[in-house]
Amino acid sequence: MTTNVKPAACVFHPASTPDFLPAEQLQHLQLERLQNMVARAYNHVSLFRQRMDERKCKPQDMKCLSDVARLPFTVKADLRDTYPFGLFASDMRDVVRLHASSGTTGKPIVVAYTAEDVQVWTNVMVRTLAACGCAEGDIIQNAYGYGLFTGGLGAHYGAEGLGATVIPISGGNTDRQIMVMQDFGVTAICCTPSYFLHIVERAGEMGVDLKALPIRAGVFGAEPWSDAMRAYMEKAAGIKAYDIYGLTEIIGPGVASECREQSGLHVFEDYFYPEIVNPQTLEPVPDGGEGELVLTTLAKKAMPMIRYRTRDITSLITEPCPCGRTIRRIRRIGRRSDDMFIIRGINVFPSQVEAALLAVEGTLPHYQIVLTRQKGLDEMDVQVEVTAAFFSDKVSALESLHDRLSSAIEHTLGLRVKVSLVEPHTIERSMGKAKRLIDRRNEKTEA
Amino acid sequence: MKITQLSVFLENKPGRLSHPCRALADAGINILTLSLADTHQFGIMRLIVKEPQKAKKALEAAGCVVNLTEVIAIEVPDRPGGLADVLMAIEKSALNVEYMYAFTFRRADKAIIVFRFEDPDAGIRAIQAKGMNVISSVELYERAGK
């Protein structure tokens, strides 16, 4: 068993952060912060006070870390119900920033930061980028969207805090992204994995060889992506692709990050306390077991979050990481408990469809699942974009591809579905996130 | 002796055919001949143009998926049985024709047919061994006269 392995030499010293604290010291810090945060939430946020009172739970009951389990859960609907400012624990004059998540239905959710919260956010994003192999002297192209979305400014502050050079290019205008990447000597990029996939494709069309450029790291987050997609992007662009994790409700990006081992994401648990619960019973899952990730913020001032149900399915890795970080890891998130859909009585996760598509050689993961209801029967159409890599002038070759895709999905799901080969760029590209599922089952069908 | 053919993937829905044709028009590229293969699901448009690389660039810039394949163009006597004789000779060589289509232009008493063989070199050898004329791209573009 390894204990504290010395971190690799780099200008930023991650060793001076809590990433490498001995467990007892970390837990001591966590408990102290938990007690302060719970008291603050109880005293300043009526929803938390009311819920804790219902459970006969007082701030002073937080005697040890496991007492977190006595606290009530918080869900996304709570943020909607208290829209816009109902969960704030700070006076607006102390709030220096507001962000909001894009609400596809109804109102967005709004989150707040004090100046101190922004410092915490910067700190965890510096640690994120350092874990992803970035350091002072790097030229970081930040292609996360700037604006109400937390990705852009979160990565921006982190990269500046690290001492790197930031190019705040934001998302979109892919040709310009590629030009900047070439001309500015970019060494790392921050964006969503689906947008980087788009950059890779476009660079190929433009005849630009990303492998020949200085870029060596991709810091990808804001949506789940598969290991096969990672392998493809790493090979096509000559980079190491790191998975980072975060959510608006907690802070934005900076909740957890992979390290050079690319084997699970270290949770910055001195600020975000992780639990894994069974999403049905809400009971804690034993260490190492799979369940829904629940997070409690330990130091957020403007908007503390108590046992927030992320809907993301993962498990905690308790074994020490060879990188030397002592903070625990979560496994990469492949699916969300609310991504699941039921078709003809079968539970399906989009990630299962993706795995099946990837099993068929040469298929890039640009796909979309469209659910419709025809004459009372649910239909699932998997639309897959044809790329130059597997397009053929022969009908038989394309039909064989189509059949292989259909049978791979049928084999995985135990369900016969329609597969459509579609032209490239017909599936909506997210500058932000890839929309994998379109559910039209409750729409009125056209007459 | 081989001719470069472009293939373009088409979704089977209205308006998809004009899109690549418009892209070629805008790039000033003339189509010498084309053929369409379609299934209930998708289609493949195969084209012969004078500048296949330029055409490929123009089509890709317009968002099309393009594939380049080598095909051969064979002169066929323009009379009843002309094609049947050529095909019989091909069959005897145990070559499999993946698909074929004709050029719109001809000269004197000869039509020109595009053949797609799995192995175009083997195709050329077999055709020439039978004393038939395989047309080079240079000659073909000259005959097209544009």
Side-chain angles (χ1 to χ4, degrees):
Chain A
M1 296 296 261
T2 48
T3 48
N4 265 359
V5 178
K6 277 232 160 169
C10 74
V11 180
F12 171 77
H13 294 292
S16 62
T17 70
D19 295 3
F20 296 88
L21 271 187
E24 319 78 68
Q25 282 184 45
L26 177 67
Q27 284 160 14
H28 182 79
L29 180 67
Q30 286 174 316
L31 180 61
E32 195 179 276
R33 286 182 175 166
L34 175 73
Q35 289 165 338
N36 290 333
M37 186 281 299
V38 173
R40 183 179 178 85
Y42 185 87
N43 292 329
H44 292 92
V45 184
S46 60
L47 181 86
F48 291 144
R49 186 166 54 249
Q50 185 195 326
R51 292 236 174 115
M52 283 173 65
D53 286 345
E54 280 166 13
R55 288 191 158 218
K56 309 220 178 327
C57 171
K58 296 286 171 213
Q60 48 272 29
D61 294 337
M62 298 294 113
K63 302 264 195 285
C64 61
L65 279 174
S66 58
D67 288 330
V68 168
R70 304 181 58 177
L71 295 165
F73 289 100
T74 309
V75 294
K76 192 163 199 156
D78 294 327
L79 282 92
R80 293 228 168 87
D81 294 347
T82 55
Y83 173 88
F85 306 145
L87 292 185
F88 290 10
S90 293
D91 193 275
M92 192 56 97
R93 74 183 62 224
D94 295 321
V95 170
V96 299
R97 181 104 60 81
L98 297 175
H99 279 284
S101 87
S102 52
T104 41
T105 51
K107 300 278 191 191
I109 55 158
V110 182
V111 294
Y113 304 75
T114 63
E116 222 175 306
D117 292 337
V118 171
Q119 276 175 14
V120 167
W121 193 12
T122 302
N123 174 280
V124 288
M125 278 310 292
V126 167
R127 289 155 67 187
T128 292
L129 291 166
C132 297
C134 298
E136 188 183 353
D138 267 310
I139 300 175
I140 300 180
Q141 181 164 349
N142 186 17
Y144 281 117
Y146 281 67
L148 284 178
F149 173 54
T150 52
L153 283 170
H156 182 102
Y157 275 54
E160 279 191 358
L162 185 67
T165 306
V166 192
I167 306 167
I169 191 164
S170 196
N173 198 341
T174 310
D175 288 13
R176 191 180 59 174
Q177 300 269 3
I178 293 166
M179 181 195 75
V180 163
M181 198 179 289
Q182 287 178 290
D183 297 349
F184 293 12
V186 167
T187 56
I189 185 165
C190 302
C191 61
T192 61
S194 56
Y195 188 55
F196 191 72
L197 191 62
H198 179 60
I199 290 178
V200 167
E201 270 175 19
R202 184 70 194 128
E205 288 166 5
M206 290 164 68
V208 174
D209 181 12
L210 297 178
K211 293 192 292 297
L213 301 182
I215 185 163
R216 58 176 168 72
V219 180
F220 302 137
E223 63 190 3
W225 48 301
S226 63
D227 286 330
M229 190 162 156
R230 165 161 32 210
Y232 172 77
M233 293 193 298
E234 288 192 335
K235 188 158 174 274
I239 60 165
K240 266 190 107 167
Y242 298 94
D243 190 10
I244 67 166
Y245 175 76
L247 57 172
T248 307
E249 298 88 325
I250 297 300
I251 199 152
V255 173
S257 171
E258 280 189 335
C259 62
R260 61 160 200 240
E261 301 295 325
Q262 294 175 304
S263 169
L265 291 79
H266 291 279
V267 181
F268 298 110
E269 53 175 327
D270 51 320
Y271 288 123
F272 315 109
Y273 185 79
E275 297 170 89
I276 304 288
V277 303
N278 178 317
Q280 268 83 47
T281 64
L282 300 183
E283 289 300 318
V285 169
D287 266 359
E290 198 180 66
E292 181 177 332
L293 177 67
V294 170
L295 291 166
T296 298
T297 62
L298 296 178
K300 259 186 71 207
K301 289 281 194 298
M303 200 165 159
M305 202 49 73
I306 293 176
R307 302 191 85 196
Y308 185 73
R309 291 188 57 189
T310 64
R311 304 288 170 182
D312 291 319
I313 303 293
T314 182
S315 57
L316 272 171
I317 304 170
T318 46
E319 293 83 50
C321 181
C323 81
R325 282 177 181 76
T326 48
I327 49 175
R328 287 173 296 172
R329 287 171 289 165
I330 49 171
R331 286 185 207 288
R332 294 189 74 203
I333 287 150
R335 55 206 180 92
R336 290 173 50 82
S337 63
D338 54 359
D339 267 355
M340 192 192 81
F341 59 91
I342 299 173
I343 179 158
R344 295 181 222 155
I346 295 174
N347 294 352
V348 178
F349 287 96
S351 57
Q352 290 175 289
V353 174
E354 181 167 324
L357 292 176
L358 286 164
V360 179
E361 201 184 353
T363 306
L364 280 182
H366 265 311
Y367 70 94
Q368 195 164 53
I369 299 163
V370 181
L371 303 178
T372 52
R373 184 165 289 155
Q374 285 158 13
K375 293 176 190 149
L377 188 67
D378 288 353
E379 298 289 344
M380 175 170 157
D381 182 11
V382 181
Q383 303 186 341
V384 182
E385 283 189 2
V386 171
T387 67
F390 61 79
F391 173 53
S392 165
D393 62 312
K394 292 194 280 183
V395 170
S396 57
L398 280 186
E399 283 188 330
S400 141
L401 171 79
H402 177 265
D403 293 347
R404 277 180 288 135
L405 291 172
S406 302
S407 61
I409 296 170
E410 188 179 343
H411 187 75
T412 307
L413 303 184
L415 183 73
R416 202 164 180 82
V417 304
K418 187 181 166 202
V419 172
S420 304
L421 299 178
V422 299
E423 287 175 21
H425 309 291
T426 48
I427 294 171
E428 192 187 330
R429 287 299 189 285
S430 44
M431 296 316 167
K433 305 181 188 189
K435 196 157 173 64
R436 296 300 188 200
L437 179 67
I438 308 276
D439 193 343
R440 299 208 176 104
R441 286 181 292 184
N442 293 319
E443 284 176 16
K444 287 244 158 58
T445 45
E446 295 144 56
Chain B
M1 303 303 276
K2 287 170 280 188
I3 316 279
T4 303
Q5 167 195 266
L6 293 140
S7 305
V8 181
F9 178 79
L10 300 170
E11 251 176 77
N12 210 346
K13 61 182 184 192
R16 299 320 298 160
L17 196 51
S18 62
H19 176 67
C21 294
R22 175 56 54 199
L24 289 174
D26 291 344
I29 292 165
N30 187 37
I31 300 169
L32 303 185
T33 188
L34 65 80
S35 110
L36 274 176
D38 68 297
T39 71
H40 69 284
Q41 243 248 351
F42 58 84
I44 303 170
M45 179 166 66
R46 303 161 184 141
L47 323 139
I48 307 280
V49 300
K50 248 186 215 179
E51 297 167 286
Q53 291 297 345
K54 185 180 163 194
K56 181 170 186 274
K57 278 216 172 88
L59 288 166
E60 283 176 345
C64 299
V65 189
V66 185
N67 161 296
L68 295 181
T69 324
E70 288 178 326
V71 293
I72 60 180
I74 303 175
E75 268 189 348
V76 176
D78 195 5
R79 56 165 170 77
L83 181 59
D85 292 347
V86 171
L87 288 173
M88 193 188 286
I90 291 169
E91 273 164 30
K92 280 190 182 143
S93 318
L95 285 169
N96 187 30
V97 178
E98 303 278 355
Y99 53 82
M100 51 182 239
Y101 53 97
F103 268 94
T104 49
F105 55 86
R106 67 192 73 187
R107 202 176 61 176
D109 56 348
K110 299 274 204 257
I112 303 165
I113 310 275
V114 176
F115 282 84
R116 163 77 157 98
F117 295 110
E118 191 57 57
D119 179 352
D121 293 309
I124 291 171
R125 282 194 300 275
I127 297 296
Q128 288 180 333
K130 300 283 179 195
M132 287 180 275
N133 193 19
V134 177
I135 302 176
S136 73
S137 53
V138 177
E139 196 187 345
L140 184 73
Y141 300 153
E142 269 173 18
R143 283 204 200 182
K146 287 164 221 162

